[in-house]
């Protein structure tokens, strides 16, 4: 089974802090994704990466950056946390090279910015 | 603009009362329609992929079907443990990424 592990289930930070969310997958997937999920808005794509050192902006990249130094690890960075970034953050990965394969998700990090 | 619309937003059933959830989409050239289950406080769990009209997939009390414009998730004789939010999604948009519906929240009462 695919295993996508997010480092924290719950995180509380203060405004202005630099926040790192970590995601690791164990299936050698080339493609990895970061989403945020908010009530009434559904899942929205922040950034994605098709391979190591590669990154692409999703639909809502403002205020975020990412790092993909190793194939199995994809990090989401909040450069200067703000209260409107309080949300559930979900990481996903996908079988390489096949666009019509499903994405597999981690259990999420619920982030609160005070 | 590619869109996914799920209905109803919420559905309350008695245990054993069968029903269906709907997912309609606008994209042409569908490259897979996906169903996920999401429990509160957890990430979406993959259930099914459907690729072509007429295709059906089953898992326990769930059966997913696909037509040219919509997909249904049929729930037969549901149990309280089937309570969850069910999401559908497909690959579309300018970047070919997954586009999700907002989900149907299913509650099954004993």
């Amino acid at each position: 089974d695919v295993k996508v592990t997010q480092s924290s289930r719950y995180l509380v930070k203060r405004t202005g802090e630099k926040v790192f969310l970590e995601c690791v997958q164990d299936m050698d997937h080339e493609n990895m994704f970061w989403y945020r999920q908010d009530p009434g808005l559904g899942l929205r794509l922040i950034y994605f990466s098709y391979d190591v050192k590669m990154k692409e902006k999703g639909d809502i990249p403002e205020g975020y950056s990412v790092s993909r130094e190793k194939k199995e690890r994809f990090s989401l960075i909040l450069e200067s946390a703000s209260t409107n970034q309080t949300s559930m953050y979900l990481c996903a990965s996908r079988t390489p090279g096949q666009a019509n394969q499903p994405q597999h998700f981690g259990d999420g990090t619920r982030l609160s910015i005070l | 603009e590619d869109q996914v619309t799920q209905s109803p937003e919420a559905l309350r059933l008695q245990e054993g009362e069968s029903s269906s959830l709907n997912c309609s989409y606008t994209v042409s050239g569908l490259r897979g329609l996906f169903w996920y289950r999401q429990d509160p406080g957890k990430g979406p769990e993959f259930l099914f992929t459907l690729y072509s009209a007429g295709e059906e997939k089953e898992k326990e009390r769930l059966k997913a079907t696909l037509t040219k414009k919509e997909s249904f998730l049929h729930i037969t004789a549901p149990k309280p443990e089937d309570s969850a939010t069910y999401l559908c999604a497909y690959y579309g948009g300018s970047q070919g990424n997954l586009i999700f519906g907002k989900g149907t929240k299913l509650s099954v009462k004993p």
Side-chain angles (χ1 to χ4, degrees), chain A residues 26-46:
Chain A
D26 66 356
M27 286 301 292
D28 202 35
H29 286 175
E30 287 181 0
N31 303 162
M32 296 188 74
F33 307 82
W34 275 106
Y35 296 84
R36 65 177 283 177
Q37 186 175 32
D38 300 286
L41 297 177
L43 277 85
R44 293 181 290 168
L45 182 64
I46 305 171

Side-chain angles (χ1 to χ4, degrees), chain A residues 9-10 33 35 37 40-43 45 48 50 56-59 88 90 94 98-108 110, chain B residues 30-34 36 38-46 48-49 51 85 87 91 94-103:
Chain A
R9 291 297 306 277
Y10 302 94
F33 307 82
Y35 296 84
Q37 186 175 32
L41 297 177
L43 277 85
L45 182 64
F48 59 101
Y50 284 151
E56 299 285 343
K57 292 179 180 179
D59 300 318
M88 173 73 141
L90 292 161
R94 181 176 71 186
Q98 300 183 50
N100 56 355
Q101 291 297 306
Q103 294 179 14
H104 297 274
F105 287 82
D107 273 341
R110 184 157 303 277
Chain B
L30 189 70
R31 292 180 292 143
L33 188 290
F34 305 93
Y36 288 85
Q38 187 173 22
D39 292 304
K42 304 198 84 175
E45 175 190 353
F46 170 67
F48 303 111
T49 306
Y51 290 110
T85 296
L87 301 168
Y91 285 110
S94 59
Q95 295 175 313
N97 286 310
L98 266 186
I99 298 174
F100 281 88
K102 290 186 169 56

Side-chain angles (χ1 to χ4, degrees), chain B residues 26-82:
Chain B
T26 59
V27 73
S28 57
L30 189 70
R31 292 180 292 143
L33 188 290
F34 305 93
W35 283 98
Y36 288 85
R37 170 193 170 123
Q38 187 173 22
D39 292 304
K42 304 198 84 175
E45 175 190 353
F46 170 67
L47 292 173
F48 303 111
T49 306
L50 301 166
Y51 290 110
S52 55
E55 189 175 359
E56 297 183 354
K57 294 267 179 78
E58 284 190 67
K59 180 178 180 180
E60 295 180 358
R61 294 175 292 282
L62 299 177
K63 183 167 83 171
T65 62
L66 183 66
T67 71
K68 287 187 178 179
K69 292 195 174 181
E70 57 191 349
S71 178
F72 293 92
L73 186 65
H74 307 279
I75 304 175
T76 302
K79 298 182 177 182
E81 53 262 42
D82 294 322

